[in-house]
Amino acid sequence: MVIAEDSVLLREGLTRLLTDRGHEVVAGVSDAEALIKTITELDDRGQLPDVVVADVRMPPTHTDEGVRAAVQLRKAHPGLGVLVLSQYVEERYATELIAGSSRGVGYLLKDRVADVREFVDAVVRVAEGGTALDPEVVAQLLGRSRKQDVLAGLTPREREVLGLMAEGRTNSAIAKQLVVSDGAVEKHVSNIFMKLGLSPSEGDHRRVLAVLTYLNS
């Protein structure tokens, strides 16, 4: 794995924590540009790591360089797991990160690192193509008032479609998987949005919110 964190103390701490538990850290970098360069070079050598652990905010502006690098890397290397760490829940960044696919992605608050077992389990899960979303992130993106089982109203087929959406599949890919028409899938997706209370005003984020609802169920 590769660790991207501008704090030397935290970067070295994460490296020690993970290597002590048998995981190989092939590189540690301090900014987004170095992260992208390192992953590109490793991929060119046929040594693409399983996962990147990156801070959301990194130099030079300490705003969104880390998460933007993560999004770019996920597009360029679909098989690369990305786990980002943030001091606070930043909804826009979390939404952007999982908008393409929820597979091999994680968003955790830095406080979670204190629970070593939970953190290491999250890194491994993301490296294996799973998902690790901080409960606080999910709660804020979904809205804390949604405590009931909102998936209860979905039909078995709609649940199946939503599960495939959570794997990052497009409507066309879902149609091929289920051996149905694209129109049938679009109808199922529309029904899912309606039953989950996701209005058209929420735009493209409806798909992300629907997936988050599924993952949180």
Side-chain angles (χ1 to χ4, degrees):
M1 71 184 70
V2 172
I3 297 176
E5 166 61 56
D6 63 296
S7 167
V8 176
L9 183 61
L10 181 54
R11 186 170 69 246
E12 294 300 321
L14 291 174
T15 299
R16 178 66 180 272
L17 184 156
L18 291 163
T19 54
D20 282 353
R21 283 155 184 79
H23 302 287
E24 183 182 8
V25 177
V26 297
V29 299
S30 61
D31 59 69
E33 183 178 349
L35 171 60
I36 293 174
K37 180 180 179 181
T38 297
I39 295 300
T40 300
E41 291 176 348
L42 288 171
D43 187 42
D44 288 343
R45 298 201 299 265
Q47 300 173 348
L48 185 70
D50 294 326
V51 62
V52 166
V53 178
D55 192 357
V56 165
R57 301 186 176 205
M58 288 195 290
T61 68
H62 291 279
T63 53
D64 60 357
E65 283 88 350
V67 74
R68 291 203 175 281
V71 170
Q72 181 177 335
L73 288 172
R74 279 174 60 76
K75 290 179 179 178
H77 311 281
L80 176 67
V82 173
L83 173 62
V84 299
L85 301 176
S86 179
Q87 192 69 42
Y88 310 101
V89 177
E90 301 179 82
E91 296 181 21
R92 178 167 63 88
Y93 299 155
T95 301
E96 184 175 8
L97 182 65
I98 66 174
S101 169
S102 59
R103 299 188 65 182
V105 63
Y107 188 113
L108 296 180
L109 296 181
K110 287 187 175 180
D111 289 346
R112 303 294 175 188
V113 179
D115 188 330
V116 175
R117 176 179 294 181
E118 180 179 334
F119 173 68
V120 174
D121 285 348
V123 173
V124 172
R125 191 158 65 251
V126 171
E128 294 176 345
T131 304
L133 297 177
D134 196 286
E136 286 297 316
V137 174
V138 176
Q140 287 202 28
L141 289 178
L142 292 181
R144 296 180 181 276
S145 62
R146 298 184 185 180
K147 297 182 184 297
Q148 70 277 23
D149 183 7
V150 292
L151 300 187
L154 300 184
T155 66
R157 176 61 91 181
E158 288 165 354
R159 281 177 174 262
E160 191 173 10
V161 169
L162 183 54
L164 292 171
M165 287 168 60
E167 294 179 6
R169 305 197 190 199
T170 64
N171 286 0
S172 295
I174 294 173
K176 290 181 181 178
Q177 174 72 21
L178 300 180
V179 194
V180 298
S181 68
D182 287 2
V185 172
E186 289 174 6
K187 184 176 180 180
H188 286 312
V189 172
S190 178
N191 287 338
I192 290 169
F193 290 158
M194 179 184 67
K195 291 180 179 180
L196 297 184
L198 301 173
S199 66
S201 64
E202 290 173 287
D204 294 337
H205 291 339
R206 287 196 298 174
R207 200 174 185 92
V208 174
L209 294 174
V211 166
L212 282 170
T213 302
Y214 176 81
L215 294 173
N216 197 43
S217 63

